[in-house]
Amino acid sequence: MPLLELLSSVSDEDLLALSRRNPGLKLERTAEGRLRLSPTGGESGRVRAEVLGQLYRWNEEKGLGVVFDATGFRLPDGAVFSPDAAFAP
């Protein structure tokens, strides 16, 4: 995934503002405050949909938690990543 070389770290406010101004881009932030762009497109979208569908069906059968699509998660080290599919108990 490409990391952009910026003049300063990306804050929470910066990341939110950039995401709102660029709805077609999947933006993430590393623990060091670097901005990461995740590619999107036809094939990657198809694969994401397949994984999310399987995870959702599994959780419907098991009822163990909640399934999310590309939702931003803040990690303990300060990074903000948006996995294609996520499960939380």
Side-chain angles (χ1 to χ4, degrees):
M1 313 253 167
L3 290 173
L4 297 180
E5 295 295 333
L6 303 174
L7 297 176
S8 62
S9 296
V10 176
S11 69
D12 287 343
E13 294 79 20
D14 295 335
L15 183 60
L16 183 58
L18 284 167
S19 294
R20 286 183 176 153
R21 291 182 69 182
N22 298 281
L25 297 177
K26 183 177 174 187
L27 303 172
E28 300 175 321
R29 183 184 65 210
T30 67
E32 298 77 31
R34 296 180 71 190
L35 195 60
R36 185 170 108 163
L37 297 173
S38 296
T40 59
E43 180 60 16
S44 62
R46 185 192 68 73
V47 171
R48 278 194 309 274
E50 178 69 27
V51 170
L52 184 60
Q54 289 183 27
L55 184 59
Y56 183 83
R57 284 190 298 277
W58 172 82
N59 189 55
E60 282 291 299
E61 291 175 13
K62 304 295 182 187
L64 298 175
V66 180
V67 173
F68 299 91
D69 67 354
T71 301
F73 292 95
R74 181 185 319 280
L75 303 179
D77 65 3
V80 177
F81 289 115
S82 179
D84 295 332
F87 169 81

